Amino acid sequence: MQRRALITGVTGQDGSYLAELLVSKGYAVHGLRRRSSTFGTERIEHLIRGNEPCVHLHYGDLSDASGLARLIRQIRPHEVYNLAAQSHVRVSFDQPAYTADVTAVGTLRLLEALRDVQDDTGEQIRFYQASSSEMFGKVVETPQKETTPFYPRSPYGVAKVYAHWITVNYRESYDLHASCGILFNHESPRRGETFVTRKITRAAARIKLGMQDKLYLGNLDAQRDWGFAGDYVEAMWLMLQQPTADDYVVAMNELHTVREFCELSFGRLGLDYNDFVEIDPRYFRPAEVDLLLGDATKGRTKLGWTPRVSFQELVEMMVDSDLELARRERGLAGTSASLDRMAA
Ligand code: NAP
Ligand code: G4F
């Protein structure tokens, strides 16, 4: 029988890679999309167009409990991947209540819907929760692993801690097959443009082509453990294939600074970042997470998960992709006919 999966956050970076992976494995893939005045489906256009779309989209929102319950009853998924969230750490300081509602309580709403359907039908639904290394915040040990205590440093981190523990609680209380992936930062050419890596590669490419003069950043000394999103979604899938649900850290176990990311990105284009990067205090956070370094030994051993893309390859992939994008933008901006086509 063909397995059915539901992905919340299917229009996001991870949602798009996970949808591709599940389609390639023969799943019937359903995605939750929220209503917006624009399409917002750029990352999954190739999966939703044509006579036989590979991914079926449904309107819904993590803030709408009854809509989620109806959708779960309608689709009767075997696997649910909860990737939807207000996922920007800096934005969570400006929108703390909204972040709590969507990122924390939204997870509870989804779990409640699953619990009801599982109770009614007796069919087990496997659940993946997108937990985050941001939960470790002001780290109490390095590297961080599954047993490291949380010390979140942002409304986003606090919301993710709630979502994490409510998932564990539903696993223990209601026999749900619910797993949390504690993923460290993962990036790609599809990364949102306001996260630091994409902001850097996008700007470096535009500067190279003379389309931009400067790049304004905040804390260049922050250290992160960056991997490739395409590798990380494989770990999500592997977690739901295990006989028993559990929690896993997913990381590269490598530390790099934002400054180093700048150096490599500009360097790829033959530029020196010192000539273009300026510090703007607006991009500093009220409370910073200085260092995140993950120990993914459990996931590598129990899941057999192995990342394929190195840090250096990730930077090159993102810079090359953004250079292509900037070239296309420059071409399109050249003639009004091209812009007309864009509007259509
Ligand atoms: P992303 O690109 O920001 O995608 C977030 C997704 O959530 C988008 O599809 C977005 O829809 C959707 N969404 C936002 N609010 C929603 C709501 N109220 N109802 C329904 N959908 C909503 O994030 P990502 O990088 O793919 O990350 C996926 C998940 O992993 C997130 O939960 C994130 O917090 C978590 N995570 C990410 C990382 C990382 O480094 N990328 C690390 C650890 C954990 P729109 O397209 O309409 O905005
Ligand atoms: O790219 P960032 O915004 O990612 P951050 O805050 O680590 O959060 C990402 O990873 C989390 C996993 O740990 C996810 F849960 C979360 O959803 C998200 O995907 O910032 C990385 C670092 C920070 O220390 C920040 O202060 O870069 C520093 N930074 C310096 N200048 C900047 C900037 N960050 C952004 N976004 N923009 C800047 O101009």
Side-chain angles (χ1 to χ4, degrees):
M1 194 207 5
Q2 188 182 31
R3 288 183 72 75
R4 292 180 297 278
L6 171 65
I7 304 174
T8 74
V10 73
T11 54
Q13 171 189 255
D14 291 5
S16 68
Y17 283 108
L18 180 64
E20 281 171 5
L21 179 75
L22 296 181
V23 165
S24 77
K25 291 186 181 295
Y27 282 71
V29 180
H30 296 261
L32 184 81
R33 80 188 288 199
R34 55 182 176 156
R35 145 80 190 146
S36 149
S37 65
T38 54
F39 284 116
T41 48
E42 299 80 9
R43 295 184 177 103
I44 51 169
E45 279 303 311
H46 56 299
L47 300 172
I48 59 171
R49 298 278 168 239
N51 290 337
E52 288 182 33
C54 310
V55 172
H56 311 281
L57 293 183
H58 307 264
Y59 281 111
D61 199 297
L62 284 193
S63 62
D64 178 9
S66 58
L68 292 174
R70 209 167 28 247
L71 198 60
I72 299 293
R73 283 188 187 285
Q74 181 194 328
I75 298 171
R76 299 271 288 271
H78 301 97
E79 297 175 11
V80 173
Y81 296 85
N82 184 31
L83 309 187
Q86 190 303 92
S87 72
H88 203 284
V89 173
R90 179 66 191 84
V91 170
S92 78
F93 287 99
D94 299 329
Q95 298 193 295
Y98 175 76
T99 302
D101 187 40
V102 171
T103 305
V105 184
T107 305
L108 172 64
R109 294 187 185 102
L110 190 54
L111 284 165
E112 275 288 274
L114 300 184
R115 176 187 158 201
D116 282 351
V117 171
Q118 189 168 294
D119 277 356
D120 288 355
T121 63
E123 292 165 10
Q124 195 185 51
I125 304 174
R126 296 190 171 198
F127 180 73
Y128 173 84
Q129 170 56 21
S131 290
S132 167
S133 53
E134 183 71 13
M135 301 189 304
F136 296 122
K138 191 172 178 186
V139 298
V140 301
E141 69 174 337
T142 295
Q144 296 85 51
K145 46 185 185 289
E146 292 78 5
T147 50
T148 303
F150 300 138
Y151 189 152
R153 291 272 279 175
S154 62
Y156 167 81
V158 174
K160 281 287 181 187
V161 170
Y162 175 85
H164 179 90
W165 280 116
I166 199 68
T167 302
V168 173
N169 180 255
Y170 270 51
R171 175 169 79 214
E172 294 174 354
S173 305
Y174 306 117
D175 197 27
L176 276 183
H177 189 294
S179 295
C180 300
I182 307 174
L183 270 52
F184 282 62
N185 298 52
H186 46 280
E187 321 292 314
S188 75
R190 300 182 196 169
R191 183 60 143 151
E193 293 179 19
T194 59
F195 295 97
V196 78
T197 54
R198 186 76 200 288
K199 188 171 166 183
I200 294 167
T201 58
R202 183 113 169 84
R206 288 171 59 83
I207 288 170
K208 176 72 181 173
L209 296 190
M211 299 164 75
Q212 185 173 327
D213 298 324
K214 292 282 176 203
L215 166 61
Y216 295 94
L217 294 173
N219 180 12
L220 299 188
D221 297 319
Q223 299 177 81
R224 290 290 183 275
D225 183 344
W226 280 293
F228 171 52
D231 286 340
Y232 284 36
V233 299
E234 285 190 28
M236 298 176 186
W237 177 78
L238 283 168
M239 283 177 219
L240 296 208
Q241 310 318 305
Q242 305 308 306
T244 315
D246 204 346
D247 306 322
Y248 299 88
V249 158
V250 180
M252 302 290 282
N253 193 220
E254 259 185 55
L255 211 48
H256 303 276
T257 59
V258 172
R259 187 185 305 284
E260 194 182 340
F261 203 101
C262 288
E263 222 171 289
L264 282 174
S265 302
F266 281 82
R268 172 86 176 157
L269 299 167
L271 303 173
D272 181 346
Y273 82 97
N274 287 298
D275 297 335
F276 305 101
V277 171
E278 295 200 356
I279 302 303
D280 184 336
R282 269 188 313 159
Y283 297 115
F284 283 87
R285 292 160 185 194
E288 175 63 293
V289 171
D290 297 318
L291 175 156
L292 291 174
L293 177 68
D295 176 352
T297 306
K298 178 177 169 184
R300 283 176 181 262
T301 315
K302 277 186 74 180
L303 302 175
W305 175 74
T306 322
R308 294 184 184 84
V309 177
S310 71
F311 175 69
Q312 171 92 25
E313 288 166 342
L314 172 67
V315 175
E316 291 174 4
M317 177 201 299
M318 292 178 70
V319 171
D320 294 355
S321 163
D322 274 330
L323 189 60
E324 261 316 297
L325 175 63
R327 284 199 181 112
R328 283 201 302 277
E329 283 173 345
R330 195 176 56 174
L332 283 174
T335 67
S336 56
S338 308
L339 283 177
D340 287 349
R341 271 203 299 281
M342 248 174 84

